[in-house]
Amino acid sequence: MAKSPNRESFDKIFEKLREHHKWFENSIPLIASENIPSPAVRETMISDFGNRYAEGWPGERVYAGCTYIDDVEFECMRLAKRLYRAEFADVRPISGVVANLAVYSGFTSPGDVMIAPSIPAGGHISHGKREHHGTAGLVHGLEIEFYPFDAQEMTIDVDKTKQKVKDLKEAGRLPKMAMFGGSLFLFPHPLKELGDFLKGYDIHINYDAAHVAGLIAGRKFQDPLREGADTVTMSTHKTLFGPQGGLVLSSKEHEETIKKAVFPGTTSSHHIHHMAGKAVAFAEALEFGRDYATEVIRNAKALAEALSDIGFKVLGESRGFTESHQIAVNVLEYSDGGKVEADLEKANIIVNRQLIPGDIKAGRNYFHPGGIRLGVSEITRLGMKRDEMQEIASYIGKVIIDKKDPNNILSKVRSFRKDYQRVKFCFESSLGAYEYVKLG
Ligand SMILES: *Cc1c(COP(=O)(O)O)cnc(C)c1O
C-alpha cells in the first residue's frame, strides 16, 4: 500500500536525522559554540524527565510527581556550586539568552543603560540594541552603550572605558549594568581592572560566560566570581559538557532576586531532562574539567600557530593568538567569511563566518564579514591533539589559500576523522559520539 503523506513526512524526518549523524561522524566540527556531550548526557535527554513539569523550587513545587526530580535538582545545584565555587546557583534557565534575560529583569528596569561589547568586538545579540533586535534592547528595553575596544589587543580598552563611564554619568546616562564576556572571546576581559571602578558607581557587573564556562570550570580562564562579577550567566553546552541550557551564579546576596527572575519571570517548565543533563555535565567537569581545559587551550594555540604559519592572518597575534578555545581569522585576502564558510563546508570542515573589528565601519555585514571563527572544544573532546591541529590547518589552507577543489579534500577529511569517534573526558563512553540511537 502507498504510504500516506504524513507517513512520508514522518519517515523523511528520521532519514534526515540519520544523515546528519553520518555527516558529523565524517566532519571536522569547529563551531566555537558547540561541543559533543557524553553518552551519559544524551541518556538524560531521552529520559521521562523531559515529559514532566516541575515549576518552582525543589521541595516547593507547584505540582506533585517531583520526588526524584527534586533529588536530581538539589544534586545539580550542589554540583554547580562546587564546580564554580559559588554560593548560589540557579540551574533552571533554559538557555544562555534566558539566563541573561533573568539577570536583566532582576537587576535593571526598562530604560536603564547597559554597557556591553558590540558584536564586532565580540558581543552577543542577547546584549544588543533594540534596533538590532537584541534581547537586552528589544525584550527588556535597555539602552545599550558599547565599550571602547582595542582591536590590536582584542579586548576591552580599560582607560577609554573609564572615561566613557565618566562621560555617560555627565550626560545623565550612567549604566546600571556592565556586561562582560562575549561570543568572539580570545582573551580574558579586564574585570579585575574595571571591577572596583564600576562598583564605585554602583554598577551591577554581570559576566556572560556562555563561551568560556568549561574553561572557567577547568580553572584555566579568568574566574569572574573572584574578579568582581556580581552575577555570572552562561550556556551549559559550548566549552562546558552540555546539554543545551543556561545557568546563573551569584553570592547569597542576590539569591532571592535571581530565583524570582528565573521563575516565574523567565521560565515555566525548565526542561527537566536538560536539568538532569546539566547535573551529569557538572559531575564530568569536576572530574575531568582541568585536563580537558588544558588540552583545549593548547589545541587552540596550536591550530592558530599552524594557520598563521601557512599564511593566514590570525587575529591577536601580538598576544599569542588566543587564551581560550577560539581562533579568529581575517580572510579578506581570499574572499570573505561567508564564502570561506561555504567552501569549507563542502570539504566537511564546519566553521562560522564572523564579524571582526572594523567590519561595520568598512560597510561589511553579517553575511559577508571579514572573518571566520574556529573553536576546538568538540575536536578536543574527541581526543585530537597537536598533530591533528597541524593536519586540520593544512586542509583549511588547501581549500582557501591553494583554492583546491573542496571535493578533493573531502575524502582526506573523511579518512582523517575515522580514528576520532568516541567522547573523551567522561566517565563512560561505550556509544559512538555521533551514533544514532533508535528507540521507536
Ligand atoms: C551563545 C551565547 C549566548 C546564548 O546562549 P544560548 O544558550 O544559545 O541561548 C549568550 N551569550 C553569549 C556571549 C553567547 O556566546
Side-chain angles (χ1 to χ4, degrees):
M1 219 171 64
K3 278 186 195 173
S4 76
N6 305 325
R7 181 68 207 210
E8 266 178 31
S9 296
F10 176 96
D11 288 342
K12 191 155 120 198
I13 292 161
F14 289 99
E15 192 187 308
K16 296 293 168 193
L17 282 170
R18 279 190 299 270
E19 279 176 21
H20 173 88
H21 280 244
K22 270 270 160 277
W23 188 29
F24 269 70
E25 213 170 88
N26 287 298
S27 299
I28 301 176
L30 295 169
I31 304 288
S33 51
E34 293 177 357
N35 209 332
I36 183 81
S38 67
V41 168
R42 284 176 69 189
E43 187 173 327
T44 64
M45 291 295 99
I46 54 172
S47 72
D48 182 64
F49 272 24
N51 311 315
R52 302 299 142 204
Y53 260 81
E55 289 180 332
W57 198 250
E60 311 162 14
R61 303 293 195 190
V62 179
Y63 302 135
C66 298
T67 305
Y68 300 104
I69 293 170
D70 282 4
D71 288 345
V72 174
E73 194 159 321
F74 278 125
E75 195 64 42
C76 187
M77 291 189 283
R78 273 195 292 273
L79 288 163
K81 289 192 278 189
R82 200 187 308 156
L83 185 59
Y84 291 105
R85 295 182 291 158
E87 288 174 10
F88 174 68
D90 198 317
V91 300
R92 298 171 298 173
I94 57 169
S95 75
V97 169
V98 169
N100 281 341
L101 192 54
V103 166
Y104 300 152
S105 311
F107 300 98
T108 66
S109 302
D112 284 346
V113 175
M114 175 170 83
I115 187 162
S118 73
I119 291 192
H124 186 256
I125 193 63
S126 62
H127 311 161
K129 293 186 182 190
R130 184 180 183 87
E131 59 260 43
H132 301 142
H133 315 289
T135 312
L138 188 72
V139 184
H140 195 56
L142 292 180
E143 299 277 325
I144 309 301
E145 292 285 347
F146 296 135
Y147 290 110
F149 193 76
D150 183 334
Q152 199 61 40
E153 300 286 306
M154 286 301 287
T155 193
I156 293 165
D157 188 312
V158 173
D159 293 333
K160 288 185 181 155
T161 295
K162 286 183 178 170
Q163 191 55 51
K164 179 154 186 173
V165 170
K166 286 179 194 156
D167 294 346
L168 285 168
K169 183 173 163 51
E170 284 295 304
R173 281 175 65 79
L174 182 69
K176 189 78 192 287
M177 180 175 282
M179 174 66 84
F180 288 87
S183 302
L184 174 62
F185 202 4
L186 303 173
F187 303 104
H189 276 169
L191 191 51
K192 265 196 294 229
E193 292 80 352
L194 283 166
D196 288 343
F197 171 83
L198 295 168
K199 289 219 173 94
Y201 287 91
D202 220 14
I203 298 172
H204 182 100
I205 300 175
N206 185 69
Y207 184 99
D208 183 341
H211 261 275
V212 291
L215 307 180
I216 296 169
R219 310 267 172 97
K220 300 293 169 196
F221 205 72
Q222 71 187 142
D223 183 343
L225 286 175
R226 252 54 57 190
E227 292 189 15
D230 295 302
T231 47
V232 175
T233 49
M234 66 180 75
S235 307
T236 49
H237 50 271
K238 294 186 179 179
T239 48
L240 199 55
F241 291 161
Q244 294 196 334
L247 176 67
V248 184
L249 305 171
S250 74
S251 62
K252 275 261 173 232
E253 183 192 348
H254 299 303
E255 171 168 348
E256 290 308 317
T257 307
I258 294 169
K259 273 185 177 176
K260 289 192 192 72
V262 172
F263 176 82
T266 51
T267 56
S268 167
S269 164
H270 56 285
H271 301 182
I272 316 303
H273 50 328
H274 287 244
M275 182 279 292
K278 290 177 208 178
V280 172
F282 298 151
E284 291 173 344
L286 279 159
E287 188 87 4
F288 306 101
R290 290 195 193 207
D291 292 342
Y292 159 77
T294 305
E295 281 298 300
V296 165
I297 294 168
R298 278 191 198 149
N299 278 345
K301 284 177 185 291
L303 182 56
E305 272 161 30
L307 289 165
S308 173
D309 286 347
I310 58 174
F312 280 107
K313 208 164 148 192
V314 183
L315 271 55
E317 181 171 10
S318 63
R319 300 184 66 184
F321 304 115
T322 183
E323 293 290 334
S324 74
H325 60 303
Q326 294 187 5
I327 301 147
V329 186
N330 177 330
V331 294
L332 289 166
E333 258 171 74
Y334 313 105
S335 50
D336 65 58
K339 172 86 167 54
V340 166
E341 174 191 291
D343 285 345
L344 289 174
E345 193 190 65
K346 289 183 203 140
N348 280 12
I349 300 170
I350 316 289
V351 310
N352 70 271
R353 62 184 185 276
Q354 177 73 42
L355 282 167
I356 55 176
D359 271 351
I360 300 291
K361 280 202 186 89
R364 285 185 287 273
N365 62 30
Y366 177 66
F367 293 99
H368 301 283
I372 56 168
R373 185 187 66 173
L374 314 173
V376 300
S377 315
E378 186 162 346
I379 56 177
T380 303
R381 199 100 198 272
L382 293 169
M384 295 190 196
K385 295 208 162 100
R386 264 56 73 203
D387 288 348
E388 288 76 16
M389 299 305 116
Q390 299 277 348
E391 197 81 1
I392 292 169
S394 89
Y395 299 140
I396 295 174
K398 285 191 176 102
V399 177
I400 305 304
I401 300 177
D402 306 339
K403 303 207 185 299
K404 292 247 163 68
D405 183 349
N407 289 309
N408 296 337
I409 310 305
L410 179 63
S411 57
K412 292 200 173 71
V413 167
R414 284 165 161 272
S415 62
F416 166 79
R417 251 323 288 277
K418 283 211 167 65
D419 296 337
Y420 308 97
Q421 296 296 340
R422 294 284 151 141
V423 178
K424 312 281 193 241
F425 306 101
C426 59
F427 290 107
E428 291 166 12
S429 199
S430 47
L431 189 76
Y434 307 87
E435 203 169 316
Y436 186 79
V437 181
K438 182 153 172 51
L439 298 181

